[in-house]
Amino acid sequence: MTNFISKRSTIEPLNEITLGSTGGKNWYIGGDFSGKFDDENKFGYRLNAIKQDGETQIKNQNIDKKFISLALDWQPTDQLTLQLDAMYRDFNIDGKSADWDFSGKNVQRISAKSLRNDMSWSQDWTNSEYKTERYGAHLNWQANDQLTLRMNYLESQSDRATQLGVNRVNADGTYNQTIPRIYANGMNRRTSQQFDKRTSTYLDYQFNTASIVHKLTFGYQTANTTQKRFKKDAKEIIYENLNTSSPNYFPKPEGEMLDRGDYKSSADTKTESWLVGDDVTFNDQWSALIGGAYVKIKNKLKETEQSAFTPNLSLIYKPQDNITTYVTYIESLENGGIAPDTSGSHVVINAGQQFNPIKSKQIELGLKYDFNDQLALNTAIFKIDKALEYSQNIDDTHAIYVPNGRQIHQGIEFTATGKLTDRVSVVGGYTYLDPKIKQQKNKPELEGKHPPIVAKEMFKVYAEYNLPQIENLSINAGVTYTGKSFADKENTDVLPAYTLFNIGARYQTQLKDVPVTLRANLNNAFNKHYWANDINLGEPRTLLFSSSFKF
């Protein structure tokens, strides 16, 4: 389920209209409206809406998006706040560039430099649609200076009708393109539907024991997830032995009319969590977060149940006001993955299957340093131990999704956020990872290999400079480096490292007393051709710009 965070109402009225382009001929208009209904500022609203449509920076790929959200706030007393949220999103993409598959025998990955990155490598008549509705309610009641009650409810429904092409490369350098689910007009094209309901209740109690301050939290959480699918999908079409010098386009074939069979649940789980935690302050230098949760996950289709107690502990030490050190240990139990529809050009035979719950562990040691109240420097070393799930090819056309073994991610990261001078702001970070696969029962030869699509090094920096010569004009630049990784668990298919450069500018002015902000950004300024992951080419050079008007 996608996590959307609703914006809350503002005390001062806000009315903002934004016009812009996300690249190519793909334009959008958005609105952000907020304020209070009454003079006492007790009842507020926040309304956001976006309409986006047109051909993207990738030729023959079109995106049509509609989004609207409404958040209402009511504060009948100083101690009680009630909130309601509603959101609707409809995302349509025609001609989404196909995924690439290099898993065939004696097939080598094609260099990204040799492939057009500004044209869709699928058919322009393919369509995938993703619809999401979400509703929520929240309550916060501060009964007194010591006791606070927090309650939340969230319900969502997501519908997917996907038609994603796959280009399977042959040993001779040509490729076969598979387009799935070609339905006749009027047929129900739904691929899957997911329903989620989540609730949480927390009780916070603050008290002292001698000089030690406690903030004790008791909580209860529930999560219900159901995914439904039809038994049958429409036929596919395969275009064979295509040349990679340029995309190949064909007329839309006649769709299939069929009885799709039963529409029933492919995954259905319920999670319950009982938790307790204590935020303890011993003195100005020492504090701790101590807690744990008892988690129970029930698979309703398999009629199985798994539970575990998952502790978490953080110890914080501040040797001086601008330095914080900490050590954290966390365990978690969560739902296992859901098998995808495809893996490259292979049809996953257990698509939609929900796997057993998985347990993960994490330990982290960190240091935070605030320099002159303007620049925050952070560093941490960490180790994450989590389950490994992947698709395993059975033959030339089919794969099975399996949970097998563990993966260890350990490394170190550095981040910097803040101002270098009054005119220069910076956000940056570097991560070094040493990922490894372990505990492989089915394929012990994978032990010690790198998990797929995990880069060993990552570096990002973004800086903005306010020009002294021109008031309200700022320029910005960013660099992103992603190190080498592997596309397969055997570590035979290498994804080369790549570096991207972005530049931009922002200008604020007034137009007849209306504040106006103009923005322009050029992403991938040097049009680097690269593999973003195992199946997708990276985005080409893209010019984005927008104009925002406040009134």
Side-chain angles (χ1 to χ4, degrees):
M1 181 181 67
T2 305
N3 182 30
F4 295 97
I5 300 176
S6 297
K7 296 180 179 180
R8 307 317 314 180
S9 66
T10 57
I11 294 178
E12 296 296 326
L14 170 66
N15 299 287
E16 184 175 18
I17 297 291
T18 300
L19 305 172
S21 169
T22 62
K25 301 175 183 178
N26 193 258
W27 298 88
Y28 69 90
I29 180 171
D32 187 1
F33 310 97
S34 180
K36 300 295 182 182
F37 290 109
D38 59 319
D39 295 336
E40 291 79 21
N41 295 328
K42 292 183 178 295
F43 193 14
Y45 67 93
R46 188 73 175 261
L47 175 67
N48 290 92
I50 296 174
K51 177 64 172 76
Q52 176 184 340
D53 195 11
E55 187 178 57
T56 70
Q57 73 275 26
I58 298 176
K59 189 177 180 181
N60 295 319
Q61 177 178 280
N62 291 266
I63 289 179
D64 179 1
K65 183 175 77 172
K66 306 177 188 71
F67 173 88
I68 187 168
S69 68
L70 176 65
L72 300 175
D73 304 283
W74 182 38
Q75 193 172 5
T77 70
D78 291 340
Q79 292 76 35
L80 179 63
T81 301
L82 302 173
Q83 298 173 334
L84 295 176
D85 301 327
M87 183 276 294
Y88 173 79
R89 181 179 184 265
D90 185 356
F91 182 87
N92 253 288
I93 182 167
D94 296 326
K96 182 184 184 303
S97 207
D99 297 341
W100 290 87
D101 182 359
F102 300 93
S103 63
K105 188 176 181 180
N106 298 323
V107 172
Q108 298 294 318
R109 177 170 294 271
I110 298 173
S111 170
K113 295 180 181 179
S114 65
L115 296 172
R116 294 284 300 266
N117 65 353
D118 60 347
M119 296 183 69
S120 172
W121 284 89
S122 187
Q123 302 301 315
D124 58 5
W125 44 262
T126 62
N127 170 266
S128 293
E129 184 176 19
Y130 306 85
K131 289 185 178 181
T132 303
E133 297 179 19
R134 191 204 70 173
Y135 308 95
H138 317 276
L139 177 148
N140 189 297
W141 178 44
Q142 187 174 349
N144 52 48
D145 291 340
Q146 293 179 292
L147 192 64
T148 301
L149 174 67
R150 296 175 288 136
M151 301 180 71
N152 303 282
Y153 175 81
L154 178 66
E155 181 174 329
S156 67
Q157 175 181 322
S158 302
D159 289 82
R160 297 168 57 244
T162 58
Q163 193 178 38
L164 304 177
V166 176
N167 296 335
R168 182 183 175 98
V169 178
N170 303 314
D172 61 1
T174 63
Y175 70 96
N176 300 339
Q177 183 176 91
T178 302
I179 306 294
R181 305 187 184 95
I182 304 176
Y183 293 97
N185 292 335
M187 283 286 298
N188 186 340
R189 297 178 51 242
R190 179 181 290 152
T191 304
S192 66
Q193 191 175 36
Q194 184 164 312
F195 304 87
D196 292 276
K197 289 185 179 180
R198 299 174 185 270
T199 67
S200 62
T201 301
Y202 306 102
L203 189 65
D204 304 321
Y205 181 58
Q206 188 167 318
F207 63 96
N208 298 344
T209 54
S211 61
I212 300 175
V213 179
H214 299 263
K215 184 179 180 181
L216 194 61
T217 297
F218 299 94
Y220 174 66
Q221 303 170 334
T222 67
N224 292 269
T225 297
T226 302
Q227 189 174 111
K228 292 187 175 182
R229 293 170 177 257
F230 283 106
K231 185 177 181 180
K232 297 179 182 178
D233 288 326
K235 66 180 181 180
E236 62 186 28
I237 188 169
I238 301 178
Y239 303 107
E240 297 184 332
N241 302 318
L242 306 180
N243 195 296
T244 59
S245 60
S246 186
N248 299 266
Y249 300 117
F250 303 94
K252 183 178 181 179
E254 183 177 348
E256 180 183 8
M257 182 73 69
L258 76 159
D259 179 0
R260 300 194 61 190
D262 295 336
Y263 183 66
K264 60 182 182 179
S265 297
S266 59
D268 194 355
T269 61
K270 179 179 181 179
T271 302
E272 292 182 281
S273 303
W274 294 263
L275 59 90
V276 61
D278 193 4
D279 184 349
V280 187
T281 302
F282 299 101
N283 51 48
D284 291 340
Q285 291 183 305
W286 289 94
S287 60
L289 295 171
I290 305 169
Y294 176 74
V295 183
K296 182 171 67 174
I297 300 178
K298 181 178 182 180
N299 188 318
K300 297 180 182 180
L301 298 183
K302 294 182 178 180
E303 297 185 346
T304 60
E305 188 173 284
Q306 187 171 336
S307 61
F309 176 76
T310 57
N312 61 82
L313 172 66
S314 292
L315 183 63
I316 303 103
Y317 174 61
K318 292 176 67 80
Q320 56 190 60
D321 289 342
N322 63 337
I323 297 178
T324 302
T325 63
Y326 66 92
V327 59
T328 298
Y329 176 79
I330 300 173
E331 291 185 10
S332 66
L333 180 70
E334 56 190 1
N335 279 317
I338 296 177
D341 300 322
T342 59
S343 173
S345 63
H346 294 71
V347 176
V348 176
I349 61 173
N350 58 336
Q353 180 182 348
Q354 172 84 61
F355 289 100
N356 291 332
I358 55 180
K359 196 170 184 178
S360 61
K361 300 177 182 180
Q362 178 175 346
I363 186 168
E364 183 173 318
L365 178 65
L367 170 68
K368 299 180 180 180
Y369 176 62
D370 293 327
F371 183 74
N372 291 337
D373 293 327
Q374 286 192 312
L375 185 65
L377 303 175
N378 303 326
T379 184
I381 56 175
F382 57 89
K383 182 178 181 180
I384 303 171
D385 183 337
K386 59 183 181 179
L388 179 65
E389 298 175 336
Y390 56 86
S391 294
Q392 184 172 305
N393 293 344
I394 300 173
D395 51 38
D396 288 342
T397 57
H398 297 90
I400 185 170
Y401 195 72
V402 295
N404 182 28
R406 308 285 298 177
Q407 52 181 318
I408 305 295
H409 295 224
Q410 55 187 0
I412 185 169
E413 63 180 5
F414 304 92
T415 61
T417 306
K419 287 181 171 291
L420 296 180
T421 70
D422 290 339
R423 292 187 175 274
V424 179
S425 301
V426 65
V427 177
Y430 170 78
T431 301
Y432 175 84
L433 275 177
D434 182 22
K436 290 285 186 351
I437 295 175
K438 71 171 190 175
Q439 296 182 13
Q440 278 285 314
K441 296 180 181 179
N442 297 341
K443 301 188 74 173
E445 66 272 16
L446 296 181
E447 292 198 14
K449 301 288 187 181
H450 286 214
I453 326 301
V454 180
K456 200 165 188 176
E457 291 182 284
M458 291 168 285
F459 171 76
K460 292 183 180 181
V461 63
Y462 168 86
E464 184 175 81
Y465 175 54
N466 297 320
L467 275 72
Q469 299 89 347
I470 305 177
E471 188 178 1
N472 298 325
L473 175 63
S474 63
I475 58 175
N476 60 71
V479 179
T480 301
Y481 170 79
T482 302
K484 182 183 76 172
S485 63
F486 297 98
D488 61 339
K489 55 189 177 300
E490 292 81 13
N491 293 178
T492 57
D493 187 359
V494 178
L495 298 174
Y498 59 90
T499 303
L500 304 178
F501 296 89
N502 306 322
I503 56 175
R506 175 170 53 89
Y507 180 63
Q508 295 175 299
T509 186
Q510 295 273 341
L511 184 62
K512 292 185 178 181
D513 298 327
V514 175
V516 178
T517 301
L518 306 176
R519 299 180 180 87
N521 290 280
L522 187 63
N523 292 345
N524 191 6
F526 298 111
N527 198 30
K528 174 72 173 179
H529 289 235
Y530 64 98
W531 288 104
N533 52 44
D534 58 329
I535 58 177
N536 297 124
L537 283 170
E539 298 285 331
R541 180 192 294 119
T542 304
L543 176 63
L544 306 91
F545 52 90
S546 67
S547 304
S548 297
F549 307 86
K550 288 186 178 181
F551 53 93

